[in-house]
Amino acid sequence: MKRLSGACAFIEALRCEGVKHVFGFPGGAVLDIFDAIMDAPDIEFILTRHEQGAVHAADGYARSSGKVGVCLVTSGPGATNTVTGIATAYMDSIPVVIFTGQVPTHLIGNDAFQEADIVGITRPCTKHNYLVKDIADLARVIKEAFYIARTGRSGPVLVDLPKDIMKDTIAFKYPDKVELDSYCPTYKGHLGQIKRIVDLILKSNKPVIYAGGGVIHSNASEELVNFARTMQVPVTTTLMGLGAFPSGDPLSLGMLGMHGTYAANMAVTDTDCLIAIGARFDDRVTGKIDEFAPKAKIIHIDIDPTSISKNVKVDLPVVGDCKMVLQGMLSQIREQKDEIRELHDHIRPWLECIDKWKKDQPLKYSQGSAIKPQYVIEMIDKLAPDDTIISTEVGQNQMWTAQFYKFQEPRLFLTSGGLGTMGYGFPAAIGAQVAFPDRTVIDIAGDGSIQMNIQELATVVQYNLPVKVMILNNGYLGMVRQWQALFYKKRYSQTSLAVSPDYVKLAEAYGARGLRVENPGDVKDAIQQALAIKGPVFVDFVVEPEEDVYPMVPAGAPINNMLLV
Amino acid sequence: MRHVVSVLVDNQAGVLSRVIGLFSGRGFNIESLSVAPTLDPTKSKMVITTTGNEQVLEQIKKQLNKLINVVKVIDYVGKEYVEREMIMVKVKAKDETRAEVLRIADIFRAKVVDISSNSYTLALTGDKGKLEGFIEILHPIGILDFIRTGTIVIEREMHTRRKLSL
């Protein structure tokens, strides 16, 4: 067998995993790998301008395509710069494999130049991580890393590669299968429990499905839609679940929680049967936990047993893959035509009640002389093609997008839900654009967040990635300002962005196009113009400075206690 | 409530810190901990004693099971098991107390493992209650130094209601 260097074996392993794109940034400890990359034209390397951007890009690639995102950076600062990106992927269960360089094994622990104990640092924010100390382990570790990242509750896995291991040689053989005796996620749900779930739903009077990101990760959207429509059960989704159920469907309630719709929050408060699917009862969803779905029997379907009864006591849990459990539920109801008809009859008043909530308190905003950010998002939704991928930053821009952009399909919405990472959206859009070069990719940003990874403008220009960045420029860190306005007597401590760059000139300085819009009448034209431009564009929408996101549930309040417009 | 949890893990660098991290990450104190390889040298067994409410402990057990390097988690609450711990105590033993220390050692079936002109070092194994009783008795005489291993447990084969104190 031909002997390969560690670096070449690494590239070979990526090939065996079918990796086509790697995001990253070079450095001293990974010189051998980058040298080997020059001889691997089948693997496209995307050089970001910051390692955080590389992980977010790999994350956006994974979220939009469903494949494992791959990232390669150097040791020390290169590795530590990935931590925010890794924590972001971990909180949202995104399959990413991060390869970090490390100083040679004999120097580990010596405070060597650009040394960081990245395995120690990332232990609490990775699904698993490895330090490869022997080249004989390299192929097995890479195989396991990809396997662990994409199976079960997916998540980021980090592999630390010391420089001497990359220089060493080995007769390369990629293992056929993974042997991990202590890791075997449960996919198939318990049949008895599935039957009990269906029975409970059939007997309920006011059922609601609460769907989360797990539905998207397990590609269970079709089954969810099928089940909800057959049973006529209304569906609310979390931020991470947006797109899992088409928001145009009459059964859709939109998002629930802190900035959820009135109908969703009222329905969850009043339901007698809450069916949580691939969701984890996050505090932004539940509000005051003791008063969350107080009248309901709670059903929880999740692949991760640690999610069950973590925050809310569950009456009927099923550990398993959302798709397989939903398939089980669908085959269970196939024989129950009469019971379903009965269910339809006795939940009619419930559906009417929900329709009334929707009509009484729809999402709304008032037009004014200044551009309203919600209007910009509605126009983007109207003008962009159906398969457009939308990413957001974090804050008001994110919540308005979640509310006003009507996601009809899964994997079209990329946002940092769990960690709430400002600066996520732009690099994530880069990852999505790399995965889908022919689709429209738009980052809906705020003027605060966009500056957190603005260096990636160079990346979009270099690779001619036609990402459109729509900046809702209100001159504030808007969401924090909103809290200060509501709960801190309008004392705007450090939330006014007194100095900001001229985004048009900035985009142009990098070689991208920039547009500025100041009048509501010009919004439509500007979006059309931006969408028509072949390359990357920044559009700076100067919007109403003190617009707030409503509805809003104050922190710690029950979710039916909403501040409305 | 006091919990004794045993965790079977891969015998690898970093595994201990993954396990401990789950406790510290939730602000949970570990009362005692002992780790050693099993008969299969690729695996280690940890025994952790801790106190906490049921819900948090349930969550920790699930999280432990989720770690890739954890093979098996057993909570001994509600189980019949034998528990042992060892202590070594260096006790002041001047003329008037020298014989008394030896008498106490004899009663508790402790062993003298070191001796000097003004001290004895005693080693004793037993469960938590016995060791604490021993320390309490020796305390007025004067404890010069003291060290204690973590608890180890093994499940009983005979599931009698009556606890055999052998």
Side-chain angles (χ1 to χ4, degrees), chain A residues 305-320:
Chain A
T306 66
S307 288
I308 288 171
S309 291
K310 182 172 73 177
N311 302 329
V312 168
K313 179 105 181 55
V314 173
D315 298 293
L316 204 48
V318 184
V319 176

Side-chain angles (χ1 to χ4, degrees), chain A residues 123 128-129 182 304-305 308, chain B residues 17-18 62 66 68-70:
Chain A
R123 204 165 277 144
H128 195 52
N129 59 18
S182 53
D304 180 4
I308 288 171
Chain B
S17 101
R18 284 179 210 276
K62 285 181 182 170
K66 201 166 141 182
I68 309 289
N69 300 120
V70 169

Side-chain angles (χ1 to χ4, degrees), chain A residues 350-370:
Chain A
W350 172 235
L351 296 179
E352 281 163 8
C353 171
I354 284 173
D355 275 342
K356 186 170 179 303
W357 281 328
K358 282 193 198 173
K359 284 200 192 79
D360 287 354
Q361 290 290 345
L363 289 167
K364 57 178 182 267
Y365 62 92
S366 54
Q367 294 286 359
S369 54

Side-chain angles (χ1 to χ4, degrees), chain A residues 146-358:
Chain A
F146 277 87
Y147 178 76
I148 291 171
R150 70 169 175 261
T151 53
R153 177 175 179 178
S154 47
V157 178
L158 181 139
V159 181
D160 204 16
L161 303 167
K163 188 168 185 176
D164 54 327
I165 305 287
M166 293 298 100
K167 282 184 177 299
D168 203 352
T169 63
I170 188 161
F172 177 79
K173 188 179 177 300
Y174 204 62
D176 297 326
K177 56 174 195 285
V178 171
E179 284 171 37
L180 284 165
D181 49 359
S182 53
Y183 174 73
C184 41
T186 309
Y187 283 88
K188 232 171 111 27
H190 186 277
L191 262 175
Q193 288 292 82
I194 289 175
K195 198 174 167 308
R196 279 188 276 275
I197 290 180
V198 170
D199 289 346
L200 189 58
I201 300 171
L202 284 170
K203 277 194 221 104
S204 66
N205 295 312
K206 300 174 171 184
V208 174
I209 292 173
Y210 146 50
V215 175
I216 293 173
H217 297 326
S218 71
N219 298 310
S221 195
E222 205 187 309
E223 286 80 4
L224 172 67
V225 172
N226 215 330
F227 184 81
R229 285 185 184 157
T230 311
M231 303 286 269
Q232 287 295 299
V233 177
V235 179
T236 175
T237 73
T238 65
L239 180 69
M240 301 311 300
L242 286 173
F245 193 79
S247 60
D249 193 291
L251 289 169
S252 170
L253 298 171
M255 185 172 73
L256 81 165
M258 186 172 274
H259 294 293
T261 65
Y262 180 79
N265 286 348
M266 294 307 283
V268 167
T269 305
D270 212 33
T271 179
D272 64 347
C273 177
L274 185 72
I275 308 133
I277 311 178
R280 60 183 176 89
F281 298 86
D282 174 76
D283 58 282
R284 284 297 189 265
V285 160
T286 62
K288 189 177 182 193
I289 198 101
D290 309 331
E291 290 176 45
F292 180 72
K295 303 169 191 167
K297 288 266 183 222
I298 296 179
I299 296 166
H300 192 183
I301 301 162
D302 205 291
I303 196 158
D304 180 4
T306 66
S307 288
I308 288 171
S309 291
K310 182 172 73 177
N311 302 329
V312 168
K313 179 105 181 55
V314 173
D315 298 293
L316 204 48
V318 184
V319 176
D321 175 61
C322 294
K323 191 185 184 81
M324 293 180 76
V325 174
L326 276 162
Q327 283 169 344
M329 288 158 67
L330 282 166
S331 61
Q332 192 64 237
I333 57 172
R334 210 161 291 145
E335 307 296 319
Q336 296 181 284
K337 298 251 160 29
D338 295 341
E339 288 90 335
I340 292 175
R341 212 167 305 122
E342 228 169 88
L343 173 73
H344 291 176
D345 284 345
H346 70 247
I347 65 171
R348 191 165 305 132
W350 172 235
L351 296 179
E352 281 163 8
C353 171
I354 284 173
D355 275 342
K356 186 170 179 303
W357 281 328
K358 282 193 198 173

Side-chain angles (χ1 to χ4, degrees), chain B residues 40-54:
Chain B
D40 170 2
T42 67
K43 301 277 183 282
S44 283
K45 196 173 226 177
M46 301 179 181
V47 179
I48 297 166
T49 61
T50 183
T51 42
N53 76 50
E54 294 307 301

Side-chain angles (χ1 to χ4, degrees), chain A residues 371 469 471 473 500-508 513-523 525-527 529-530 533 537-543:
Chain A
I371 301 174
V469 180
I471 304 172
N473 187 344
S500 271
D502 176 329
Y503 290 104
V504 175
K505 280 190 190 158
L506 186 74
E508 284 167 356
R513 291 284 299 277
L515 306 169
R516 179 170 296 114
V517 192
E518 284 161 322
N519 297 308
D522 299 333
V523 169
D525 282 353
I527 294 170
Q529 199 188 337
I533 293 170
V537 187
F538 265 41
V539 190
D540 182 16
F541 293 97
V542 181
V543 299

